[in-house]
């Protein structure tokens, strides 16, 4: 393989992506009441949510170190593409960039090309960007062409999520009865798109936003991540696909960092 794709662990990988050998993960960690929990294969969602629910404080996350990224840049691959959490939400992007500079300093004579994408998203937003990189590589695009196409794709990408509660984003208690529809701004920050009384209405509002915002959807992939609510994920997928055509769609469970943001019952949708 002439290239590899590195994602921080907020980006969920499908089974097919894991099996491809193309994708590598830079692991973030979470701190809950003094205990460090790694966002890797050992992550226990049920235990984590239980800890968060009883903790008086918000869990905190730590991004991969520049050294961790630099190590992932090694290997025989000539081209390395990196996809990180929104730079507005995490230090992961800056850490990946610093890792790139460290790599260059230690390998002055090397011909490896490295590029770091700021997803301006999270979770399956990162996954879709990584899949777009793979698609461009398989089309035979040059390194510069891949960057150009993928950056253009990021500009068009929209991220939405419905939260059962806002404890992690704003630890001042549950908004009883009110479910919040959130989204990402073009810069990659989080904004509130609306509220609804009850999850069903919030999901319906989300579907309306996605359908209204969608452009050239027949050429795009719909991705959904859920935290302990597979039926809800399938329902939002059905509601969207009833209204628009997409190239493909998939549903995954949230990993550690996405679970921290979405919390129990949360849904993240990216198109």
């Amino acid at each position: 393989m002439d290239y590899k794709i590195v994602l921080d662990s907020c980006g969920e990988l499908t089974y097919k992506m894991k099996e491809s050998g193309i994708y590598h993960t830079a692991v973030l960690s979470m701190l809950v009441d003094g205990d460090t929990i790694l966002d890797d294969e050992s992550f226990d969602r049920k235990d984590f949510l239980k800890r968060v629910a009883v903790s008086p404080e918000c869990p905190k996350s730590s991004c991969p170190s520049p050294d961790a990224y630099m190590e992932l840049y090694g290997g025989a691959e000539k081209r390395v593409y990196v996809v990180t959490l929104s730079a507005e939400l995490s230090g992961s992007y800056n850490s990946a960039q610093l890792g790139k500079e460290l790599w260059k300093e230690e390998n002055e004579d090397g011909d490896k090309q490295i590029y770091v994408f700021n997803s301006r998203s999270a979770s399956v937003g990162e996954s879709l960007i990584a899949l777009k990189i793979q698609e461009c590589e398989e089309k035979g695009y040059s390194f510069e062409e891949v960057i150009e196409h993928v950056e253009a794709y990021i500009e068009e990408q929209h991220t939405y999520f419905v939260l059962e509660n806002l404890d992690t984003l704003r630890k001042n208690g549950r908004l009883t009865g009110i479910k919040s529809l959130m989204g990402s701004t073009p810069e990659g920050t989080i904004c509130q798109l609306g509220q609804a009384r009850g999850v069903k209405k919030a999901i319906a509002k989300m579907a309306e936003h996605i359908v209204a915002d969608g452009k050239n959807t027949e050429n795009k992939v719909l991705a959904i991540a859920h935290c302990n609510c597979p039926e809800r994920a399938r329902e939002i997928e059905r509601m969207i696909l009833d209204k628009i055509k997409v190239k493909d769609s998939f549903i995954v469970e949230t990993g550690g960092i996405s679970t921290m943001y979405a919390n129990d019952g949360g849904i993240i949708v990216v198109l």
Side-chain angles (χ1 to χ4, degrees):
M1 194 71 66
D2 287 337
Y3 74 99
K4 71 164 73 170
I5 302 171
V6 176
L7 293 87
D8 65 33
S9 59
C10 187
E12 276 82 31
L13 299 180
T14 65
Y15 177 78
K16 189 175 179 181
M17 292 169 80
K18 289 177 182 177
E19 291 296 299
S20 71
I22 296 168
Y23 299 92
H24 303 262
T25 302
V27 177
L28 286 94
S29 62
M30 296 150 290
L31 191 68
V32 183
D33 290 338
D35 292 329
T36 299
I37 300 166
L38 295 178
D39 186 12
D40 60 12
E41 296 296 331
S42 68
F43 176 71
D44 184 332
R45 186 179 300 101
K46 186 177 179 181
D47 178 68
F48 176 77
L49 289 169
K50 192 185 297 180
R51 286 169 179 252
V52 170
V54 299
S55 174
E57 297 182 0
C58 259
K60 292 180 171 61
S61 64
S62 294
C63 65
S65 68
D67 283 341
Y69 272 113
M70 185 174 70
E71 190 172 332
L72 284 165
Y73 299 160
E77 297 88 357
K78 297 296 185 184
R79 301 178 298 286
V80 180
Y81 304 97
V82 192
V83 185
T84 74
L85 256 165
S86 169
E88 296 292 332
L89 301 178
S90 167
S92 188
Y93 174 76
N94 288 335
S95 192
Q97 288 283 30
L98 193 52
K100 174 183 171 181
E101 296 308 314
L102 292 171
W103 172 267
K104 284 183 174 179
E105 286 176 15
E106 292 197 6
N107 299 272
E108 291 180 6
D109 299 328
D111 59 352
K112 190 186 294 283
Q113 295 173 294
I114 303 171
Y115 187 83
V116 183
F117 291 98
N118 172 13
S119 72
R120 289 182 255 165
S121 181
S123 184
V124 283
E126 294 180 54
S127 313
L128 288 179
I129 292 164
L131 286 169
K132 178 59 70 173
I133 295 167
Q134 182 182 354
E135 178 187 307
C136 290
E137 273 282 346
E138 289 176 354
K139 287 181 177 178
Y141 291 169
S142 70
F143 186 71
E144 291 74 19
E145 287 171 334
V146 173
I147 293 168
E148 183 183 345
H149 279 81
V150 175
E151 287 289 6
Y153 172 75
I154 292 171
E155 287 287 338
E156 294 183 355
Q157 193 182 72
H158 294 278
T159 303
Y160 312 82
F161 48 107
V162 166
L163 304 179
E164 283 276 16
N165 68 70
L166 296 174
D167 284 354
T168 303
L169 296 177
R170 195 179 65 215
K171 193 83 178 188
N172 63 352
R174 187 181 293 264
L175 300 182
T176 308
I178 300 292
K179 308 307 175 189
S180 292
L181 170 58
M182 314 290 284
S184 64
T185 65
E187 296 76 32
T189 58
I190 294 171
C191 64
Q192 187 162 334
L193 299 176
Q195 289 186 165
R197 189 160 290 280
V199 170
K200 284 190 176 181
K201 289 184 179 179
I203 292 292
K205 273 195 173 185
M206 177 194 270
E208 288 173 12
H209 270 279
I210 293 167
V211 171
D213 293 342
K215 293 175 183 172
N216 303 316
T217 59
E218 63 276 3
N219 297 315
K220 294 180 180 176
V221 177
L222 171 69
I224 302 169
H226 70 88
C227 185
N228 290 337
C229 51
E231 297 84 4
R232 192 173 295 168
R234 286 191 287 270
E235 175 67 7
I236 185 69
E237 181 185 44
R238 183 192 61 76
M239 293 171 78
I240 295 166
L241 297 184
D242 278 351
K243 298 286 180 66
I244 58 175
K245 288 184 178 180
V246 298
K247 183 167 70 174
D248 196 7
S249 67
F250 66 84
I251 297 172
V252 294
E253 293 182 325
T254 52
I257 296 296
S258 297
T259 295
M260 191 183 87
Y261 280 119
N263 220 318
D264 203 10
I267 287 275
I268 305 162
V269 182
V270 183
L271 182 62

